[in-house]
Amino acid sequence: KIINYLILMFLITLLLIVPPLIFIAPIIWIFLCLSFQVLSFEDNISAKSAISRSIELVKGNVFSTIILLLLCAAVTYWFLPSMFVWACEKVSLITFLIGRIEILVDLLNLDLLNEKLAVVNISLDSLTIAKYMAENVVSVIVVAFTLPFRCCCFTQLYKLYDSEKIKDFSKESDEIIARATGKKRKS
């Protein structure tokens, strides 16, 4: 499945970075959010089929999918990183990181950059850049460690949507059996 996984990553990336599609990328992402779960859990499925199946699963459940996407994004991309940055500031870890990063930023020639930024009345110093980088390092680490949480959420969503489909098929098969035999099958 690794080849299909890589193809799926390429296709989704392509869909999300093509300039005309960039404005509808959030809508595309809503419908493709279960593609990796489909590829992981369903046998003998191609990357293209995983995309189609994801669209099919989400189509009838757009609202709940959007809610989960928003909750996951708020928790893992905003709330938790903000809390960890705050905690790191309280224990002076951010200050420690700023000191180390500032040493590296001082090696850069900021005069040339500030000349270019003077056009828009912006000036940067090594402390500002170091503070920004230190906070982002902490945030990126937190976001990376929350990937399993997001995967679990969408795996559960996939299982929920897939089980609803199974229930629909079960109802249809019960109706077919009832018509064929003249009696209902016990559940």
Side-chain angles (χ1 to χ4, degrees):
K1 286 190 174 186
I2 190 73
I3 299 298
N4 280 323
Y5 178 81
L6 293 172
I7 291 170
L8 182 62
M9 278 181 36
F10 175 75
L11 289 173
I12 289 177
T13 302
L14 192 63
L15 282 171
L16 295 176
I17 64 170
V18 172
L21 298 177
I22 200 82
F23 298 108
I24 60 169
I27 295 167
I28 293 170
W29 186 244
I30 290 167
F31 286 96
L32 300 183
C33 70
L34 297 177
S35 298
F36 292 101
Q37 281 75 15
V38 169
L39 189 65
S40 296
F41 295 114
E42 295 185 13
D43 295 326
N44 301 322
I45 194 163
S46 67
K48 184 180 172 190
S49 298
I51 289 173
S52 298
R53 178 84 167 110
S54 177
I55 292 168
E56 176 188 322
L57 286 169
V58 173
K59 200 182 292 181
N61 303 294
V62 175
F63 184 71
S64 56
T65 304
I66 291 171
I67 296 296
L68 184 63
L69 278 167
L70 291 174
L71 283 172
C72 279
V75 169
T76 63
Y77 291 106
W78 175 75
F79 179 73
L80 287 175
S82 298
M83 294 307 297
F84 272 84
V85 166
W86 175 81
C88 289
E89 285 174 349
K90 292 299 177 197
V91 297
S92 301
L93 181 60
I94 293 289
T95 306
F96 174 79
L97 289 173
I98 289 171
R100 302 306 168 262
I101 295 171
E102 190 175 17
I103 294 168
L104 297 173
V105 174
D106 280 336
L107 299 174
L108 301 173
N109 186 0
L110 293 179
D111 295 334
L112 181 63
L113 178 63
N114 282 325
E115 284 177 24
K116 303 284 185 195
L117 292 174
V119 175
V120 288
N121 292 331
I122 296 175
S123 177
L124 293 175
D125 60 279
S126 58
L127 180 63
T128 304
I129 294 171
K131 184 176 187 324
Y132 176 80
M133 288 177 71
E135 289 174 354
N136 279 297
V137 163
V138 171
S139 293
V140 167
I141 290 169
V142 172
V143 168
F145 276 106
T146 59
L147 176 62
F149 172 75
R150 291 188 300 277
C151 287
C152 289
C153 288
F154 286 98
T155 298
Q156 291 301 315
L157 191 67
Y158 165 77
K159 288 169 106 180
L160 175 70
Y161 292 170
D162 196 45
S163 68
E164 288 176 2
K165 189 93 171 156
I166 290 169
K167 288 176 189 174
D168 291 341
F169 286 136
S170 179
K171 286 180 188 176
E172 289 175 19
S173 66
D174 284 347
E175 291 170 5
I176 292 168
I177 291 170
R179 281 187 299 213
T181 62
K183 52 185 163 179
K184 286 194 173 187
R185 184 172 74 175
K186 293 182 180 176
S187 297

